[in-house]
Amino acid sequence: MDETSFVSALMGRMTLAEKIGQFNLLSAGEGPETGSAGVRNIRSRLEAGQLGAIFGTKSVRSVRAWQELALSGSRHAIPLFFAEDVIHGHRTIFPLPIALAGAFDPALWRDVARVSAREAAAEGINHVYAPMVDVARDARWGRVAESPGEDPFLAARYAEAMVAGLEGTDPLAPDTVVACLKHFLAYGAAVGGRDYDNASLGLEELIGVYAEPFRAGVAAGAGSVMASFNAVNKRPMHAHRALIRGWLRGDAGFAGLMVADYTGIAEISAHGLGDRATAAALALIAGIDMDMIGEDYVTHLPRLAEEGLARPESGLAIEAGEIVAAIEEACARVLALKYRLGLFDDPFRYCDEARAARTALSADHRALARRSIAESTVLLKNEGALPLAPGACVALIGAMADDRTNLLGTWAVSGDPAQAVTLREGLVALHGGEVCCVKGADLVDDTVLAGRLNVHGQTVFLDERPAEAMIAEAVAAARSADVAVVVVGEAKEYSGESSSRTEIGLPAPQRRLLEALAETGTPLVLVVKTGRPLALAEEVALADAVLLVWFAGTEAGNGIADVLTGVADPAGRLAMSFPARTGQVPVFHAAEPTGRPYSGRFEKFKTGYLDLPDTVPPATGLFPFGFGLSYTRFAYAAPRVDETALSGADARAVVRVSVQNVGARRGTTVAQLYVRDPVARITRPMRELKGFEKVVLEPGECREIVFTLTLSDLAYVMGDSLETLERVADPGTFVLATGPDARALQSVEITWQF
Ligand code: NOJ
């Protein structure tokens, strides 16, 4: 029987209560809980036929047990599906998404997603809450760690590749899962960078920037989308009918499953739209199919389906018939997904203990994880201290230098730190010379903060020794070494969900450590571990080299050692601009021109900051988007175009840029193409990324990189309402700029008439 006939025949036998039961989504409680609601009694829900899916199982055995209960508890033997947060790997943990995005490498993203899907599916999981594709421009927001960064074009390419890797081409294949694009929409635009806070944005930005990766992910076939916690333009996203039913299902053509986030439906009430029954009605009508944790659908929909909803205080009236129709529609979507996954044929099709055991952390998965570290590690500064000289005596300093608890990074719920490699272990294995390791400083010295950072298990250990004693030990180690490699940055949960910061500098004890080490005169290499861009101007000035490794996952120590020793070139680039100071955020390359533009140095009555040095452009930060050095050097020629005057809507602009490796080693560069439309109907960004290509070149080798643009690449979103939104392009001049990052650009102009 085909999907539609099967689903409608099954629904014909189901009561309304059974249909509503399919919407209930609860946590197995086998991992850390992310909200305050706690774990519900899944067993009683299953017995009452009131559960559609479970997330957070941690083994095949438990999936099997829940599935058996579900089948026996349901009159129609409707199986559950099982979901999990597989954000940067499942058992094999890869670098954080903000790091991986900086690999600028769709093939790598696909491979990482394939491995993640293979490991998750082997444990009975068939739905993953990934990829997170929230554009993020405010580094105070802790969830930038999970995001592909500030740029909608890069985020869209990341979304497509991740969906392709997770879902593969066959939903029935035992190693594919359903992807979930999250969090729809503009979760990353939270005011003040405060997690869960609201966003008010113009439609040009909302749809043109924040929705872009969702559009791309849906086009790539994503089977599901998760709503975001915040309110956008005064409407909680879980109740945002115009964006969910209107834009996502309408304009973007999304036909898959829409899931709530954790208690997100209940929170409509906290947003001030009425009681919990109102919240349930609004979410259902907006187009949310499954209710995570809050259980407002199972609690309130049966009555709403009989009586409808009337709330004169908010002018709300929903007919019972509309509720019933929405229940039918949502239930059909849940069942269709189960059908597509083949669960009606074999509810245990993903459960295979032997496959799970041989798949998790297999040698080839670990090898990919190790390679992905070099691909996403960013060399921010190098005055000759890197790569380490063979045989050099290294003082390896820092609380995270030989610590496993901080290796995986946030949102690695199924990762096992015991399986991860520390930097000391990796370096000792690879580096020929002596490696002496000392702590140097605590990660933070504020006990209240340390308590908050230890919420998912202890990762911050406050030393009993006085700070001065630890610094003295580190200074002595540095003095007797050829080079000091100092690992600094954030503890694992200093970024992530509910981890916003007001200051994004290095914590005080680590800063003091660096100042003392700088006075030794021993060359200083900073290895920066973080889940967000940090404001590091002073620390960068003290160092001879700065290597940004983010949180690198299971193979952290090996992958970072590959780069430190020069076995691999640091091939990552910044997916988010780095500010010089916290007060500079949000800072992103696609800033708009002002009427009083910055001229390259501070001028009174022009855009800029009084207290920022002229060396830091106010709109691109200390290190711009796309930036990253290599161990070799590259020379970019000016871009050339095949035609400078184009005509016709079907024409194509061909841009060529030659890049040569002018150094002595093999290395990687990411050629980037940006465009600017200098005269348009509305103010347009100073640069928009429209193409990138990662190339590896031998010494002396030269490569011509060719980018092709169509008119739709130059179009932008404009309109007064979601209903009247259009994509328009304006004829005339366009500036096309190429180079190795968003600042070091050379440009050429074309005209395009159509
Ligand atoms: C809350 C997070 O916002 C979301 O990303 C995640 O998928 C769910 N919790 C489930 O863990």
Side-chain angles (χ1 to χ4, degrees):
M1 215 188 293
D2 68 21
E3 179 183 303
T4 318
S5 329
F6 178 87
V7 168
S8 67
L10 176 57
M11 283 181 61
R13 299 194 300 275
M14 292 168 75
T15 63
L16 198 72
E18 285 169 337
K19 290 173 187 167
I20 294 168
Q22 287 299 307
F23 305 156
N24 212 19
L25 171 57
L26 294 179
S27 158
E30 294 169 22
E33 292 291 313
T34 58
S36 54
V39 180
R40 291 287 183 277
N41 181 357
I42 299 188
R43 186 176 292 268
S44 70
R45 291 297 181 221
L46 279 174
E47 283 161 5
Q50 285 187 324
L51 199 61
I54 294 180
F55 71 99
T57 52
K58 293 282 172 265
S59 67
V60 178
R61 195 153 46 91
S62 114
V63 167
R64 195 183 285 283
W66 291 127
Q67 192 69 296
E68 275 162 5
L69 263 179
L71 295 171
S72 58
S74 142
R75 253 186 353 124
H76 312 284
I78 301 176
L80 300 167
F81 63 79
F82 293 86
E84 183 56 290
D85 285 290
V86 179
I87 310 296
H88 49 120
H90 184 59
R91 297 288 173 186
T92 304
I93 302 299
F94 293 89
L96 287 175
I98 185 69
L100 280 176
F104 282 79
D105 189 340
L108 178 74
W109 298 330
R110 255 193 320 273
D111 290 347
V112 166
R114 288 292 319 117
V115 165
S116 308
R118 204 177 293 147
E119 290 192 347
E123 289 181 13
I125 290 155
N126 23 50
H127 184 210
V128 300
Y129 298 145
M132 194 274 218
V133 296
D134 295 315
V135 170
R137 295 178 162 182
D138 190 331
R140 291 171 296 180
W141 189 48
R143 297 196 82 169
V144 305
E146 290 171 70
S147 118
E150 74 184 46
D151 185 86
F153 180 84
L154 183 68
R157 304 294 77 77
Y158 174 84
E160 289 161 358
M162 290 296 287
V163 168
L166 291 167
E167 297 196 342
T169 49
D170 178 8
L172 291 176
D175 61 350
T176 59
V177 292
V178 174
C180 182
L181 303 167
K182 68 186 191 184
H183 309 80
F184 186 76
L185 183 66
Y187 186 30
V191 64
R194 290 188 292 273
D195 203 4
Y196 316 123
D197 212 332
N198 302 334
S200 287
L201 303 165
L203 290 176
E204 286 78 14
E205 231 169 335
L206 189 61
I207 302 301
V209 174
Y210 289 90
E212 199 45 35
F214 289 91
R215 182 197 297 279
V218 166
S224 70
V225 175
M226 184 186 289
S228 74
F229 284 126
N230 55 346
V232 170
N233 296 341
K234 321 301 170 206
R235 283 168 189 79
M237 270 314 306
H238 282 73
H240 211 311
R241 184 179 184 156
L243 279 174
I244 298 174
R245 259 187 215 276
W247 186 83
L248 183 65
R249 292 214 184 274
D251 295 8
F254 174 61
L257 185 79
M258 186 82 199
V259 292
D261 201 348
Y262 205 103
T263 63
I265 294 177
E267 290 168 28
I268 294 172
S269 188
H271 275 284
L273 269 68
D275 59 12
R276 299 273 290 262
T278 308
L282 286 173
L284 181 77
I285 296 302
I288 309 254
D289 301 321
M290 290 192 90
D291 177 5
M292 188 191 288
I293 296 286
E295 303 212 289
D296 291 278
Y297 277 1
V298 285
T299 310
H300 299 289
L301 290 186
R303 180 135 175 228
L304 288 165
E306 280 179 12
E307 298 174 2
L309 183 87
R311 295 285 183 267
E313 66 271 37
S314 53
L316 196 64
I318 305 173
E319 300 279 332
E322 202 183 335
I323 301 273
V324 171
I327 291 173
E328 296 289 327
E329 207 188 294
C331 181
R333 278 198 285 264
V334 176
L335 296 176
L337 183 66
K338 294 181 176 183
Y339 179 92
R340 236 165 278 159
L341 289 168
L343 292 170
F344 287 105
D345 283 340
D346 177 4
F348 302 98
R349 63 181 303 127
Y350 296 87
C351 295
D352 178 346
E353 279 84 350
R355 183 162 67 101
R358 67 172 184 271
T359 307
L361 290 156
S362 67
D364 55 331
H365 294 180
R366 291 192 81 126
L368 181 67
R370 181 169 183 165
R371 181 168 78 77
S372 68
I373 294 170
E375 296 299 333
S376 53
T377 290
V378 189
L379 183 61
L380 293 174
K381 174 179 180 180
N382 192 12
E383 290 177 349
L386 286 179
L388 299 173
C393 172
V394 177
L396 180 62
I397 300 167
M400 293 189 285
D402 193 25
D403 159 45
R404 234 172 283 282
T405 59
N406 281 293
L407 283 178
L408 302 183
T410 189
W411 275 116
V413 293
S414 306
D416 178 4
Q419 301 290 334
V421 183
T422 72
L423 180 52
R424 188 193 61 78
E425 290 165 343
L427 204 55
V428 166
L430 211 60
H431 178 59
E434 193 189 327
V435 178
C436 139
C437 187
V438 298
K439 181 170 176 184
D442 284 329
L443 288 175
V444 297
D445 56 4
D446 171 341
T447 50
V448 174
L449 177 60
R452 292 179 179 178
L453 297 176
N454 286 339
V455 63
H456 289 318
Q458 193 165 6
T459 58
V460 175
F461 301 85
L462 298 183
D463 213 281
E464 284 172 358
R465 290 173 292 170
E468 299 71 38
M470 284 192 279
I471 290 183
E473 184 186 40
V475 164
R479 284 223 162 92
S480 55
D482 298 317
V483 57
V485 175
V486 195
V487 185
V488 293
E490 294 190 316
K492 170 174 160 284
E493 295 301 329
Y494 215 173
S495 39
E497 185 173 346
S498 187
S499 298
S500 300
R501 294 178 60 181
T502 58
E503 295 288 346
I504 55 170
L506 208 58
Q510 301 188 54
R511 252 193 352 253
R512 286 194 288 270
L513 169 68
L514 284 185
E515 281 158 11
L517 290 171
E519 284 182 9
T520 63
T522 303
L524 217 55
V525 174
L526 300 196
V527 172
V528 181
K529 296 182 64 149
T530 174
R532 56 154 60 78
L534 295 174
L536 292 175
E538 282 82 17
E539 292 80 0
V540 168
L542 293 179
D544 296 280
V546 181
L547 193 66
L548 170 67
V549 300
W550 303 104
F551 280 92
T554 309
E555 284 289 319
N558 289 332
I560 299 168
D562 285 340
V563 178
L564 286 173
T565 58
V567 168
D569 198 37
R573 302 297 181 259
L574 295 180
M576 265 184 100
S577 312
F578 265 49
R581 312 246 168 88
T582 302
Q584 208 184 352
V585 301
V587 52
F588 52 95
H589 75 83
E592 291 161 12
T594 70
R596 297 181 169 202
Y598 177 75
S599 64
R601 63 184 175 81
F602 177 80
E603 283 175 275
K604 199 76 181 155
F605 308 116
K606 292 282 173 73
T607 301
Y609 296 98
L610 278 171
D611 55 356
L612 206 59
D614 282 346
T615 46
V616 182
T620 48
L622 185 64
F623 296 113
F625 174 84
F627 179 78
L629 302 168
S630 154
Y631 288 149
T632 187
R633 286 174 299 113
F634 295 96
Y636 276 76
R640 289 170 294 114
V641 284
D642 286 8
E643 285 173 82
T644 50
L646 285 94
S647 62
D650 296 334
R652 282 177 153 55
V654 179
V655 194
R656 297 170 191 276
V657 58
S658 292
V659 53
Q660 185 175 17
N661 181 344
V662 292
R665 303 167 58 106
R666 178 176 209 255
T668 306
T669 187
V670 178
Q672 299 160 40
L673 169 70
Y674 296 83
V675 305
R676 178 170 178 199
D677 182 355
V679 181
R681 287 173 243 192
I682 55 175
T683 295
R684 304 282 299 122
M686 288 192 277
R687 54 191 94 63
E688 288 183 288
L689 183 70
K690 291 294 174 187
F692 57 84
E693 194 170 324
K694 192 171 201 174
V695 286
V696 180
L697 298 179
E698 299 296 335
E701 190 183 351
C702 187
R703 180 89 50 90
E704 182 184 74
I705 292 150
V706 184
F707 296 106
T708 303
L709 292 170
T710 64
L711 198 56
S712 86
D713 295 319
L714 303 176
Y716 57 94
V717 171
M718 211 188 92
D720 295 327
S721 69
L722 275 169
E723 294 69 41
T724 59
L725 218 56
E726 26 166 14
R727 274 181 81 79
V728 298
D730 297 317
T733 302
F734 294 93
V735 181
L736 312 179
T738 53
D741 61 63
R743 200 181 288 155
L745 296 173
Q746 302 179 71
S747 61
V748 58
E749 279 187 15
I750 58 165
T751 59
W752 200 326
Q753 304 300 340
F754 46 88

